[in-house]
Amino acid sequence: MAFIESIKLVVAKPHPAGKPFIYGGIAVAVAGGIAFGTWLFWLGAAFTAFCLYFFRDPERVVPTRPGVIVAPADGRVVMVGPAVPPEELGLGPNPRWRVAIFLSVADVHVNRSPVEGVVTRVAYRPGKFLNASLDKASIDNERNALAMRLPDGKDIAVVQIAGLIARRILCHVKEGDRLERGERFGIIRFGSRTDLYLPEGVRPLVAEHQLMIGGESVIAEMAQQETHQPVLHTDTGF
């Protein structure tokens, strides 16, 4: 059964953003097979196979328990700690728990909503293309940030960050859109990072180096929310 599930993951239907690359690879393979020799055919075939794998968009089983906050992306947790959300989101200067997820080229790159809520802000900012696993990538790199309002009035933020290889961030939602927990909202082409800023007073349940499955892995629960804003101390891990 595990083997069958692994096969389903590899051959999952590709995200629409990958179709131009897939069709381009097929065209190169066909042209190579007809007129330019086998080397071009195999080059096109290899590129097509890579794009089919990279842009795969498997279905996910989203937790239904009330108050659950799920991972917005596949990948490995590289940072868990206090940070101020991007200023362009207008969420204030207070630090809150941030969970940073690094996506390698082998991970699924489709981004999913961590909660049920309404998009209150979408803000794109151009920038550099540093290694996305670095802490300064959250400040210096190209990014697209979303703020969402939960049904209880709390705010949460998700930031798509371009990486060393990534050169395009795609986001197909706009302000005022309502998203369900686990619903797709965008994709980042090639290596990248996704940062999640939890609502104030909510603590994460994950640790660095853990592997996340977008739309499935539970990062936090709203039931853990404190009745007051905790004081964050960066020198003690608060």
Side-chain angles (χ1 to χ4, degrees):
M1 183 64 69
F3 176 74
I4 295 176
E5 293 300 320
S6 298
I7 294 299
K8 288 182 179 180
L9 175 61
V10 173
V11 299
K13 179 182 67 175
H15 189 276
K19 289 182 178 180
F21 298 91
I22 295 169
Y23 292 154
I26 293 174
V28 171
V30 171
I34 294 176
F36 296 100
T38 58
W39 68 270
L40 189 58
F41 167 81
W42 288 113
L43 180 64
F47 181 75
T48 301
F50 169 77
C51 289
L52 284 169
Y53 179 74
F54 177 83
F55 287 104
R56 66 197 187 281
D57 184 13
E59 296 298 328
R60 294 287 161 79
V61 180
V62 182
T64 58
R65 188 166 70 253
V68 165
I69 299 174
V70 299
D74 288 35
R76 186 179 299 275
V77 177
V78 292
M79 278 170 274
V80 178
V84 177
E87 61 180 358
E88 61 265 26
L89 291 180
L91 296 181
N94 294 329
R96 54 177 73 193
W97 284 98
R98 178 186 66 179
V99 177
I101 303 171
F102 176 73
L103 297 75
S104 73
V105 293
D107 290 312
V108 174
H109 275 59
V110 177
N111 290 127
R112 294 174 177 267
S113 175
V115 294
E116 173 189 355
V118 176
V119 178
T120 57
R121 178 72 171 156
V122 179
Y124 169 78
R125 200 202 73 168
K128 300 178 181 179
F129 298 97
L130 304 175
N131 187 327
S133 64
L134 300 176
D135 185 40
K136 62 181 179 179
S138 63
I139 299 175
D140 295 337
N141 281 23
E142 175 181 312
R143 67 180 185 236
N144 185 71
L146 279 76
M148 296 180 62
R149 181 72 45 81
L150 282 68
D152 66 357
K154 295 292 184 180
D155 294 303
I156 195 170
V158 183
V159 185
Q160 301 169 286
I161 301 173
L164 186 64
I165 302 175
R167 287 296 186 271
R168 186 69 187 276
I169 297 173
L170 300 179
C171 177
H172 56 72
V173 299
K174 61 185 183 301
E175 295 174 12
D177 285 351
R178 183 176 187 83
L179 296 176
E180 298 298 325
R181 182 190 303 152
E183 184 177 348
R184 302 167 178 86
F185 71 82
I187 187 172
I188 313 175
R189 292 176 183 168
F190 311 110
S192 54
R193 196 173 107 195
T194 302
D195 286 358
L196 175 65
Y197 293 83
L198 297 174
E200 292 184 328
V202 176
R203 300 172 63 90
L205 301 174
V206 299
E208 291 183 11
H209 310 301
Q210 278 189 256
L211 292 175
M212 297 288 102
I213 299 176
E216 290 191 5
S217 298
V218 175
I219 284 185
E221 293 191 48
M222 291 296 292
Q224 291 192 338
Q225 183 174 315
E226 302 293 339
T227 58
H228 61 278
Q229 172 65 27
V231 179
L232 308 184
H233 301 287
T234 57
D235 56 337
T236 61
F238 53 122

